[in-house]
Amino acid sequence: MTTVLRARTRWIALLALTATLAGCGQANSPQPGGAAEVRVAYVPVATYLPALVAEDTGIFARNRLEVELTPTQNLSATPGTLGRQFDIASATPTDLIKAVGQGIGISAVATSSVETPEVATAQVVVAKDSPVRTVRDLAGKRVGAPTIGAAFHNSLLNWISEEGGDPASITGVEMPFSTMPDQLKAGRVDAVEAIQPVLGTMLAQGARSIGSPFLSVGESPVLVTLWTAQRQWAETNGSTVQRWRQSLAEAERLIKDDPKTAREVLRKYTQLSAELADSVQLPVYGGGMAASELRTRLEPWQEALRRSGQFNGTVAADELVVRAGS
């Protein structure tokens, strides 16, 4: 039983007295000294390791957060669950911008990971003998993507456009990351959008990377993943949002100072083999990023979406990032 689950027993009597109205922007705020319950949807990959470490090592509990983590595989579906099944959910910048642009009242509450030239954990990969050498060579090619409308594929379209190519000239083919190596080997696609640990495995087997498309979206570090919540809930539960951010920042320090423990947690939650969990390149995390910087890092994504033709509107920065805990 985890530290958080043990904390559940200690605080259950107090929490039973706390009125919770899920989805109505009220709820979860603890009595003085109590723990706030937070329902969280996450994807079980290294990208969200700080939250997993905070759960497993008791950081959430020390910050008076009682977190219930639920794994999910589809980031694009999480905006509609906020305020209902979940209070906080992992997301990408494109998920957030499109949702808010459609009138869904959600906001970012914290950064999860960023991409840098030094640590690029998401790259476009081609076969060793492929004639594709640069992103412009993808014209007329088929590219395997986890989700056509997601941030990874959008950044690739943006990259092609920036290099003077035609984004409409490539064909995106949706497929799970796990099948990408076989699909590329079989020649069903000419390139794939791979992340760790699949990326590392493919490169070790001889495949080639032509670069990270995320780095085309603004200046480094480029925002890649974040945590979102229903805006009304986040504004009502500002203290909880602050403690969530604080917990992520503490977990990131632990990951840096105690990588052995961090990778043990990664293996536990992702079911990776010990070899992969110990060798996979971890992303650069940004849970301690100020809300003002998070607003700034989201703006290039609006430009990228418009450039690729996936979003034609404009969303104010203050609508994208909640003020609570700023």
Side-chain angles (χ1 to χ4, degrees), residues 174-185 188 192 198:
E174 290 193 352
M175 60 183 62
F177 288 116
S178 59
T179 69
M180 288 182 177
D182 290 338
Q183 297 282 353
L184 187 64
K185 286 180 181 178
R188 296 188 182 94
V192 294
V198 173

Side-chain angles (χ1 to χ4, degrees), residues 111-137:
T111 301
S112 179
S113 67
V114 296
E115 190 94 331
T116 69
E118 297 76 22
V119 183
T121 59
Q123 301 180 34
V124 176
V125 177
V126 298
K128 182 179 181 179
D129 58 353
S130 171
V132 175
R133 297 290 171 179
T134 70
V135 68
R136 294 192 67 174
D137 295 333

Side-chain angles (χ1 to χ4, degrees), residues 18-30 36 87 105 107 109 229-243 322-325:
T18 304
T20 300
L21 299 175
C24 298
Q26 303 175 12
N28 315 73
S29 295
D87 303 306
S107 296
V109 294
Q230 185 189 51
R231 171 176 286 276
Q232 187 178 1
W233 177 90
E235 291 176 343
T236 302
N237 295 277
S239 173
T240 299
V241 170
Q242 287 179 316
R243 284 180 278 140
V322 74
R323 293 181 180 277

